[in-house]
């Protein structure tokens, strides 16, 4: 209890939202103030009680139970995890229901990849994942390596190696006069979302795609491989969806419509018409299986930056390596189970503070996602203790255990689409996915919540001593590549912000790849995401299991406890805030910096007179000025704050573009979207920047006007509060 009391003092931040250090804040209890609260002492008392509850040993037990069996979305084992989570929600006092959705997904029926040339060389894959002495690898329920959303197909063709499968990589093949039409393209994981690799290969006429993990990116080049170390072993395979989630998220047959079981078939589109589904077969392999394929490619030497860590020179082909792929996918409508727990708000029940983590996994999912599930359950344990003490949140708390995230963010997207009108008043969505794979904290957020995240971490103790914020500051210094976070190592999520307008710990930008997507980019609900990361080479493999986690991820579960505290405190603090703790001044500064960078790109592409940035720059300045003015009012609020909070909530929605982004209308946010050619990583001011990527000056001109209108709408909303 002494540690918690000290931390609450250290957590003190000025009501102005400035970056006062924990030491200064702790100097006097009378100086305690929390941005957004009139009575910070009362809130500190609530937070002290909450922070005392999350328990490392209970988190360990949650993780052990949730990962005792493979539980891919839609399976009986997946439903069992839903029932366990629902039981824990109810025990904490949450009003709980299990909500079903009917979605189009595939399981693998038959998967084979055979090397049939050159003569005398054999490979029959996929090889079953295996290392010495792993206690979980031989469960017959382990799904064979496959890519969700791939079509069935039989392809026999020569192989071409295309590095990471980016547009730039295919351009280099063109310069080398390597034609991929009708070929099987071999690409390695990293740099962009796996679905983008397939999309670009499909655009270039490839017949099929094989994706593998190269040991340079995700294996022994980084350190000892499992079970001796945390990195991917020879036979480890990264499963994953290759659906085109950058087109829209959720069930591929119901874009923009909730896929409830009662939905008439007439309101679905056919899978054949869905923009989310690839047209060419795709399957993943281990570097064990890819080794002979790559080794027997000829043609030009690959560009030297394409060289991985297998012990031979990489060539691009085509051939003589020739591969036969046979994929038989079992597509059908299957049931997902979201678990939704509510604590009704005592004063503002229609304002939902939503917090979520997905539960489904490709196999056991100890790190991804059930480290997040265990943390969420311990956060709910803390909320339960508050409820027992008589506390009630001002706003409604909604905790969500999502299903079907791995296939395409399905459970969260369908629920958000179903509750679109009710979420218009939601002040925030807080996400956790890969909660723990190590000790390095990082976060991403919409700019209005970046300072909020920093402030929350000032209130939470670090297992290393001091606060999470202080450790975050230390860890923000450059480190060797081998200490990259799991997702950074595979380019799945980029935590580095596009710009840094504050001399403070960097909070990244939100692209896609997790369950905040529908909330922020479709509905305009401000969102955050966070992780505590370390070396993690077993992502989406059979080895992401309890044994790996206990040995390498968080042996004492102290970072699970830390993440439970941060995640829960975000929700509790937002639910009780008198004034919503947004910072639109920081938001405006970031947008201005995005525009400066875009202007320089445009001048380099088109010259200085082709695009007029004057109107959009004026709109951005207006938005930043309005943000600064309303921030001053947030620091000295009137007694009745309803209209102030309404303006603060409405500004983010003002940044939505009614017609959506070009060619992908489901994404409606003018400032953030997943990139068409990155997939997970955020593209800022996407309409403008993607037009610049294509060298389309007319599209860029149109998108500058769309962006100016969005900024003017948001600024007008903030200015509307007097």
């Amino acid at each position: 209890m002494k540690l918690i009391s000290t931390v609450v003092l250290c957590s003190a931040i000025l009501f102005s939202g400035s970056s006062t250090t924990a030491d200064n804040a702790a100097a006097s209890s009378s100086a305690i103030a929390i941005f957004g609260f009139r009575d910070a002492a009362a809130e500190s008392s609530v937070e002290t009680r909450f922070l005392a509850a999350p328990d490392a040993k209970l988190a360990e037990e949650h993780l052990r139970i949730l990962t005792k069996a493979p539980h891919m979305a839609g399976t009986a084992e997946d439903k069992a995890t839903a029932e366990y989570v629902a039981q824990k929600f109810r025990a904490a006092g949450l009003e709980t229901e299990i909500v079903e959705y009917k979605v189009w997904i595939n399981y693998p029926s038959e998967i084979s990849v055979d090397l049939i040339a050159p003569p005398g060389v054999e490979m029959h894959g996929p090889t079953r994942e295996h290392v010495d002495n792993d206690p979980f690898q031989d469960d017959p329920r382990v799904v064979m390596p496959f890519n969700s959303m791939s079509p069935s197909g039989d392809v026999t063709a020569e192989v071409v190696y295309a590095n990471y499968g980016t547009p730039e990589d295919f351009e280099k093949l063109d310069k080398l006069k390597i034609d991929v039409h009708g070929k099987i393209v071999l690409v390695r994981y990293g740099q962009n979302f796996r679905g983008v690799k397939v999309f670009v290969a499909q655009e270039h006429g490839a017949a099929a795609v094989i994706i593998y993990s190269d040991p340079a990116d995700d294996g022994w080049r980084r350190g000892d491989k499992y079970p001796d170390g945390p990195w991917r072993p020879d036979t480890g395979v990264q499963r994953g969806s290759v659906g085109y989630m950058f087109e829209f998220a959720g069930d591929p047959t119901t874009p923009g419509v909730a896929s409830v079981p009662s939905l008439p078939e007439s309101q679905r589109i056919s899978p054949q018409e869905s923009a989310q589904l690839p047209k060419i077969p795709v399957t993943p392999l281990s570097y064990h299986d890819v080794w002979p394929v790559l080794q027997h490619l000829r043609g030009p030497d690959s560009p030297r930056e394409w060289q991985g860590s297998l012990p031979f020179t990489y060539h691009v082909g085509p051939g003589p390596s020739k591969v036969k792929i046979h994929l038989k996918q079992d597509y059908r409508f299957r049931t997902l189970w979201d678990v939704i727990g509510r604590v009704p708000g005592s004063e503002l029940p229609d304002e939902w503070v939503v917090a979520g983590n997905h539960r489904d996994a490709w196999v056991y999912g100890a790190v991804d996602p059930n480290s997040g599930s265990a943390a969420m359950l311990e956060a709910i344990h803390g909320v339960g203790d508050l409820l027992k003490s008589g506390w009630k949140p001002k706003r409604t708390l909604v905790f969500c255990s999502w299903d079907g995230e791995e296939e395409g963010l399905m459970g969260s997207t369908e629920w958000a689409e179903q509750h679109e009108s009710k979420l218009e008043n939601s002040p925030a969505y807080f996400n956790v996915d890969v909660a723990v794979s190590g000790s390095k904290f990082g976060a991403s957020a919409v700019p209005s919540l970046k300072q909020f995240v920093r402030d929350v971490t000032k209130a939470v103790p670090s297992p290393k001593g001091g606060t999470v914020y202080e450790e975050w500051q230390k860890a923000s210094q450059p480190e060797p590549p081998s200490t990259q976070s799991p997702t950074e190592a595979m380019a799945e999520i980029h935590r580095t912000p596009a710009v840094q307008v504050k001399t403070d710990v960097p909070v990244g930008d939100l692209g896609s790849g997790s369950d905040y997507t529908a909330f922020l980019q479709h509905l305009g609900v401000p969102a955050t995401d966070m992780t505590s990361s370390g070396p993690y080479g077993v992502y989406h493999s059979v080895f992401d299991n309890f044994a790996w986690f206990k040995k390498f991820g968080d042996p004492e579960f102290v970072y699970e406890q830390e993440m439970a505290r941060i995640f829960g405190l975000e929700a509790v603090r937002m639910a009780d805030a008198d004034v919503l703790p947004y910072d639109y001044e920081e938001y405006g500064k970031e947008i201005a910096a995005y525009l400066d960078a875009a202007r320089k790109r445009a001048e380099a592409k088109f010259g200085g007179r082709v695009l007029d940035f004057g109107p959009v720059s004026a709109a951005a300045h207006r938005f930043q000025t309005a943000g600064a003015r309303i921030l001053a009012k947030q620091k000295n609020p009137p007694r009745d704050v309803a209209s102030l909070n309404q303006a603060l909530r409405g500004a983010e929605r003002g940044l939505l573009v009614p017609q959506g982004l070009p060619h992908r209308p489901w994404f409606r946010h003018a400032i953030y979207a997943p990139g068409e050619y990155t997939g997970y990583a955020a593209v800022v001011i996407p309409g403008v920047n993607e037009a610049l990527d294509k060298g389309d000056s007319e599209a860029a001109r149109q998108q500058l006007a769309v962006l100016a209108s969005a900024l003017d709408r948001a600024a007008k909303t903030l200015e509307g509060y007097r």
Side-chain angles (χ1 to χ4, degrees):
M1 286 300 295
K2 180 180 179 184
L3 175 62
I4 297 298
S5 299
T6 301
V7 167
V8 169
L9 290 177
C10 288
S11 75
I13 57 173
L14 291 183
F15 193 80
S16 65
S18 65
S19 302
T20 303
T21 65
D23 288 340
N24 290 341
S28 168
S29 60
S30 63
I32 292 175
I34 302 174
F35 182 45
F37 289 85
R38 290 197 181 88
D39 187 350
E43 176 62 15
S44 292
S45 177
V46 169
E47 293 185 8
T48 299
R49 182 181 290 273
F50 169 79
L51 289 168
D55 183 273
K57 289 297 181 185
L58 289 176
E60 180 173 1
E61 185 63 13
H62 295 318
L63 191 68
R64 188 189 306 275
I65 291 169
L66 288 167
T67 61
K68 67 183 179 180
H71 52 284
M72 195 164 59
T75 63
E77 293 80 9
D78 176 42
K79 187 177 183 182
T81 63
E83 291 165 347
Y84 175 79
V85 168
Q87 173 195 348
K88 295 300 177 184
F89 277 23
R90 293 186 182 108
L94 278 61
E95 299 174 359
T96 302
E97 60 178 337
I98 296 178
V99 181
E100 295 185 356
Y101 295 101
K102 177 182 170 184
V103 299
W104 182 254
I105 57 177
N106 61 305
Y107 295 163
S109 181
E110 298 173 10
I111 307 285
S112 65
V113 182
D114 295 288
L115 181 62
I116 61 173
V121 183
E122 292 188 357
M123 183 278 291
H124 305 287
T127 300
R128 188 173 182 87
E129 295 174 291
H130 185 83
V131 298
D132 292 335
N133 302 317
D134 180 86
F136 296 97
Q137 62 193 354
D138 295 324
D139 191 307
R141 294 170 292 185
V142 172
V143 68
M144 71 180 79
F146 82 113
N147 282 128
S148 173
M149 300 300 155
S150 166
S152 300
D154 290 279
V155 177
T156 301
E158 290 183 318
V159 174
V160 172
Y161 171 58
N163 195 32
Y164 292 111
T166 66
E168 295 76 16
D169 291 333
F170 280 92
E171 286 174 12
K172 286 187 178 178
L173 287 176
D174 288 341
K175 289 177 182 176
L176 290 169
K177 302 190 184 310
I178 304 298
D179 186 359
V180 303
H181 277 84
K183 303 296 191 296
I184 294 173
V185 171
L186 174 65
V187 295
R188 53 174 167 159
Y189 276 112
Q191 296 290 325
N192 56 9
F193 166 55
R194 66 187 80 82
V196 170
K197 300 174 191 294
V198 180
F199 181 70
V200 180
Q202 180 179 301
E203 283 187 321
H204 284 78
V209 176
I210 295 171
I211 316 177
Y212 82 104
S213 299
D214 195 282
D217 306 304
D218 190 18
W220 49 262
R221 174 69 180 272
R222 293 192 170 274
D224 286 333
K225 58 192 179 185
Y226 183 71
D228 298 320
W231 294 101
R232 192 175 300 273
D234 298 22
T235 58
V237 184
Q238 183 189 143
R239 297 155 180 81
S241 175
V242 292
Y244 297 162
M245 287 180 271
F246 45 87
E247 297 284 355
F248 64 90
D251 169 49
T253 71
T254 58
V257 178
S259 188
V260 296
S262 60
L263 185 72
E265 291 301 310
S266 60
Q267 293 189 33
R268 296 181 182 270
I269 61 174
S270 72
Q272 293 74 26
E273 296 174 311
S274 177
Q276 199 193 89
L277 296 177
K279 306 300 182 187
I280 59 176
V282 193
T283 202
L285 287 178
S286 65
Y287 59 83
H288 170 277
D289 286 348
V290 161
W291 192 312
V293 179
L294 260 175
Q295 189 171 16
H296 291 90
L297 279 180
R298 292 296 174 260
D301 290 359
S302 69
R304 288 302 76 206
E305 66 272 19
W306 291 20
Q307 177 70 38
S309 286
L310 296 176
F312 46 80
T313 298
Y314 290 22
H315 294 257
V316 297
S321 291
K322 192 173 187 180
V323 165
K324 179 180 180 181
I325 296 176
H326 169 68
L327 306 183
K328 184 177 180 181
Q329 309 286 7
D330 177 15
Y331 270 100
R332 64 182 71 177
F333 286 105
R334 292 181 164 92
T335 300
L336 301 182
W337 301 278
D338 285 352
V339 185
I340 310 297
R342 291 181 175 84
V343 181
S346 59
E347 298 178 19
L348 300 164
D350 292 334
E351 295 184 19
W352 294 2
V353 175
V354 186
N357 155 264
H358 81 92
R359 191 187 66 254
D360 64 294
W362 288 114
V363 192
Y364 297 100
V367 172
D368 180 15
N370 295 127
S371 65
S373 301
M376 181 169 71
L377 289 177
E378 279 310 287
I380 289 168
H381 172 196
V383 169
D385 277 11
L386 289 180
L387 294 173
K388 290 172 187 173
S389 74
W391 169 85
K392 293 181 180 179
K394 291 180 182 177
R395 297 174 180 83
T396 295
L397 280 171
V398 185
F399 285 97
C400 308
S401 176
W402 307 119
D403 202 358
E405 188 269 359
E406 295 291 6
E407 281 73 14
L409 318 180
M410 292 192 182
S412 58
T413 298
E414 302 313 313
W415 188 86
E417 289 173 341
Q418 183 177 3
H419 298 284
E420 179 172 353
S421 61
K422 294 180 180 178
L423 289 167
E424 287 180 358
N425 292 320
S426 174
Y429 171 72
F430 300 119
N431 191 65
V432 65
D433 189 335
V434 176
V436 178
S437 60
S439 62
K440 181 181 176 182
F441 181 80
S444 297
V446 69
S448 57
L449 289 177
K450 288 186 176 183
Q451 189 59 43
F452 175 78
V453 175
R454 296 181 187 113
D455 291 341
V456 166
T457 63
K458 295 174 184 177
V460 177
S462 167
K464 296 178 182 178
T467 65
V468 174
Y469 177 77
E470 291 166 338
E471 288 303 313
W472 189 5
Q473 284 181 310
K474 296 174 188 176
S476 295
Q477 303 306 311
E479 295 185 5
S482 63
T483 59
Q484 284 181 308
S485 75
T487 47
E488 287 168 344
M490 295 173 293
E492 299 288 3
I493 298 174
H494 293 263
R495 298 282 175 190
T496 304
V499 299
Q500 180 79 0
V501 299
K502 277 194 173 183
T503 55
D504 207 329
V505 292
V507 181
D509 306 317
L510 292 169
S512 187
S514 197
D515 290 304
Y516 54 79
T517 298
F519 291 90
L520 175 62
Q521 292 153 352
H522 187 61
L523 301 182
V525 178
T528 72
D529 188 31
M530 63 180 185
T531 187
S532 183
S533 61
Y536 167 52
V538 295
Y539 175 72
H540 287 190
S541 77
V542 71
F543 308 117
D544 186 358
N545 57 40
F546 189 84
W548 184 97
F549 192 90
K550 183 70 174 170
K551 188 172 182 179
F552 299 110
D554 187 12
E556 302 302 321
F557 286 76
V558 291
Y559 292 98
E560 282 288 321
Q561 182 184 45
E562 170 192 287
M563 295 298 279
R565 287 168 168 164
I566 298 169
F567 184 63
L569 192 57
E570 282 186 313
V572 168
R573 188 174 284 190
M574 185 64 72
D576 274 350
D578 299 310
V579 177
L580 293 172
Y582 302 152
D583 183 349
Y584 280 110
E585 184 176 32
E586 181 169 358
Y587 210 149
K589 289 178 178 177
E590 290 208 8
I591 292 170
Y594 301 158
L595 284 169
D596 285 342
R599 182 187 296 107
K600 291 173 184 174
R601 290 187 66 208
E603 289 173 353
K605 270 189 181 290
F606 307 124
R609 298 185 178 181
V610 174
L611 295 177
D612 181 6
F613 276 76
V616 75
S617 295
H621 178 72
R622 178 185 177 188
F623 178 70
Q624 182 180 332
T625 301
R629 287 174 178 166
I630 206 164
L631 183 61
K633 293 173 181 177
Q634 289 169 266
K635 296 172 186 177
N636 297 287
R639 183 162 299 280
D640 182 1
V641 296
S643 57
L644 173 58
N645 283 334
Q646 183 177 2
L648 290 166
R649 282 197 316 273
E652 190 76 51
R653 276 69 168 183
L655 294 171
L656 295 180
V657 177
Q659 70 270 30
L661 297 181
H663 315 300
R664 43 185 188 147
W666 188 89
F667 287 98
R668 302 192 296 205
H669 205 282
I671 312 301
Y672 298 103
E676 284 185 284
Y677 291 102
T678 60
Y680 278 171
V683 171
V684 299
I685 52 171
V688 174
N689 273 318
E690 291 184 339
L692 293 177
D693 289 341
K694 295 172 182 175
D696 188 336
S697 61
E698 181 56 34
R701 186 177 294 108
Q702 293 171 1
Q703 289 303 305
L704 285 170
V706 169
L707 177 58
S709 295
L711 290 169
D712 278 330
R713 277 195 304 274
K716 184 178 180 181
T717 301
L718 294 175
E719 292 164 349
Y721 176 74
R722 301 294 181 186

